[in-house]
């Protein structure tokens, strides 16, 4: 397909889920003229009403099978709770649909990078700026929330390492180089704010360390109660230098953070479209995604 034809091609999506992260991605899909949302599947009435209000002409389905079998839909975007991902991905692929799913592939390793700053950091690492890497550190501190919707999310898909910190694990692997083999995983944590988490084998503040056969290690910190908002930081240490990604997130206010997130999601969606239409190479594969889930799951099991 020529570049001119591709620019005019509209990729038609069926979207599953319009909750916390689904709402963000749906808005970004609508921002890009190359996509059209023709159908949504949501189980929560308020989310269905929100989607219909935003896209009046959208077809709202009460069963996931319906958008998957809808012949007009070419790709399915999955933004549902983690415990549904494996089955929904399989059903969509079996129906011949392309699948867009951010993270994780599934809830655990048995079922189972498009931020420009990380791409630039990886390029510097590959060029030898930090020398031989010994440690990669990353943390995600999630915005403090105390709503019923948040607690329902935690019950089904909010296990902290495979939900909140899966991006940290994936980015550390990306920065270290994908050809590393995890050997040991340790984790510890506390539940001091959201006491309800204890009943679900979860925690609101955790540390994890993963050691690799190649002599490298990654350190992960996760927190669910950051009152100043969502923050992500990464640090790569080598024998010649250090690279810090977003070392001072509080210097950016929430408006700037929101625009950065949108640009990252836009790049991700555009890359997905180019991969679907012209088989353009992307900087990840399913093996890497599965490795991140395996490591995050090992950390969560250690925490328990």
């Amino acid at each position: 397909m020529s570049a001119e034809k591709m620019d005019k091609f509209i990729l038609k999506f069926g979207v599953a889920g319009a909750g916390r992260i689904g709402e963000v991605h749906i808005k970004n899909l609508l921002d890009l003229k190359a996509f059209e949302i023709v159908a949504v599947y949501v189980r929560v009435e308020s989310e269905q009403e929100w989607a219909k209000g935003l896209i009046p002409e959208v077809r709202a389905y009460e069963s996931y099978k319906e958008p998957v079998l809808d012949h007009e839909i070419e790709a399915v975007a999955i933004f549902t709770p983690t415990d549904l991902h494996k089955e929904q991905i399989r059903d969509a692929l079996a129906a011949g649909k392309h699948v867009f799913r951010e993270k994780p592939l599934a809830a655990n390793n048995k079922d189972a990078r498009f931020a420009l700053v990380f791409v630039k950091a990886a390029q510097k690492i590959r060029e030898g700026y930090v020398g031989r890497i010994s440690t990669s550190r990353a943390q995600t501190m999630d915005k403090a929330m105390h709503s019923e919707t948040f607690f329902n999310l935690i019950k089904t898909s909010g296990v902290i390492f495979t939900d909140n910190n899966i991006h940290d694990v994936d980015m550390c692997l990306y920065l270290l180089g994908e050809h590393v083999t995890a050997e040991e995983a340790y984790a510890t944590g506390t539940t001091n704010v959201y006491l309800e988490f204890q009943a679900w084998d979860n925690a609101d503040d955790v540390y994890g360390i993963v050691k690799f056969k190649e002599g490298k290690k990654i350190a992960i910190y996760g927190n669910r109660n950051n009152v100043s908002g969502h923050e992500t930081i990464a640090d790569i240490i080598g024998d010649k230098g250090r690279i810090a990604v977003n070392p001072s997130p509080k210097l950016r206010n929430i408006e700037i953070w929101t625009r950065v997130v949108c640009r990252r999601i836009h790049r991700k969606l555009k890359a997905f479209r180019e991969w679907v239409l012209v088989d353009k190479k992307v900087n990840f594969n399913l093996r890497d995604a599965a490795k991140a889930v395996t490591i995050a799951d090992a950390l969560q099991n250690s925490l328990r």
Side-chain angles (χ1 to χ4, degrees):
M1 181 181 294
S2 67
E4 183 179 356
K5 287 185 178 180
M6 190 174 73
D7 287 342
K8 296 179 180 178
F9 189 88
I10 304 297
L11 192 61
K12 295 185 177 181
F13 266 96
V15 174
R20 188 183 181 200
I21 194 64
E23 180 179 325
V24 174
H25 280 81
I26 287 171
K27 289 178 179 178
N28 279 279
L29 278 167
L30 295 175
D31 280 346
L32 300 171
K33 295 180 180 179
F35 302 101
E36 180 183 356
I37 299 175
V38 299
V40 294
Y41 155 67
V42 289
R43 297 187 296 182
V44 180
E45 185 177 351
S46 60
E47 294 176 8
Q48 189 175 99
E49 291 175 357
W50 174 85
K52 286 183 176 179
L54 187 67
I55 320 167
E57 66 278 11
V58 75
R59 295 194 289 275
Y61 291 127
E62 296 183 0
S63 166
Y64 177 72
K65 299 287 186 181
E66 293 178 283
V68 166
L69 297 176
D70 190 322
H71 295 298
E72 187 180 3
I73 292 171
E74 298 159 298
V76 176
I78 299 174
F79 309 125
T80 52
T82 302
D83 59 328
L84 302 175
H85 291 178
K86 181 186 75 171
E87 182 180 351
Q88 291 179 342
I89 290 171
R90 284 181 173 177
D91 287 347
L93 292 175
K97 308 297 186 186
H98 301 290
V99 177
F100 180 89
R101 170 59 228 162
E102 182 181 356
K103 59 88 185 172
L105 278 179
N108 55 62
N109 68 307
K110 295 180 181 178
D111 294 340
R113 31 199 108 152
F114 286 92
L116 190 58
V117 287
F118 282 101
V119 173
K120 290 182 177 178
Q123 290 173 347
K124 295 296 183 183
I125 291 169
R126 307 295 185 258
E127 292 168 6
Y129 277 75
V130 299
R132 187 164 57 93
I133 297 174
S134 58
T135 301
S136 180
R137 303 184 300 199
Q139 72 176 47
T140 292
M141 302 177 70
D142 205 5
K143 180 181 178 181
M145 299 180 70
H146 297 271
S147 66
E148 182 180 354
T149 300
F150 175 68
F151 287 116
N152 288 334
L153 167 72
I154 298 299
K155 284 182 185 179
T156 57
S157 62
V159 177
I160 192 163
F161 278 114
T162 53
D163 181 74
N164 188 62
N165 295 104
I166 189 69
H167 284 308
D168 297 316
V169 175
D170 186 51
M171 284 299 102
C172 282
L173 289 173
Y174 176 54
L175 296 173
L176 287 178
E178 307 294 354
H179 302 296
V180 290
T181 304
E183 193 173 41
E184 297 176 86
Y186 311 90
T188 186
T190 57
T191 308
N192 293 322
V193 179
Y194 301 107
L195 300 183
E196 298 89 342
F197 286 12
Q198 296 175 359
W200 309 320
D201 287 330
N202 213 333
D204 53 37
D205 192 276
V206 296
Y207 286 92
I209 296 175
V210 181
K211 295 174 66 177
F212 296 87
K213 290 182 179 179
E214 294 77 9
K216 300 176 182 179
K217 59 185 178 296
I218 63 176
I220 304 294
Y221 172 64
N223 181 283
R224 286 286 197 185
N225 189 53
N226 192 28
V227 294
S228 63
H230 188 93
E231 295 177 4
T232 299
I233 300 170
D235 206 9
I236 304 90
I237 302 169
D239 59 0
K240 293 182 180 179
R242 168 180 173 246
I243 292 178
V245 180
N246 193 27
S248 302
K250 289 185 180 179
L251 294 179
R252 302 183 303 179
N253 60 34
I254 189 64
E255 286 78 21
I256 294 177
W257 178 82
T258 300
R259 290 197 295 271
V260 170
V261 169
C262 287
R263 287 198 296 270
R264 174 177 62 82
I265 295 174
H266 284 183
R267 285 193 294 270
K268 193 181 331 184
L269 289 167
K270 289 176 180 178
F272 175 78
R273 181 171 177 268
E274 291 174 351
W275 173 62
V276 169
L277 297 181
V278 295
D279 199 26
K280 183 176 179 180
K281 185 179 179 181
V282 292
N283 63 347
F284 71 93
N285 55 54
L286 290 177
R287 180 195 62 199
D288 301 334
K291 185 187 292 185
V293 173
T294 299
I295 291 173
D297 189 45
L299 288 169
Q300 191 67 37
N301 286 332
S302 177
L303 177 65
R304 293 191 179 105

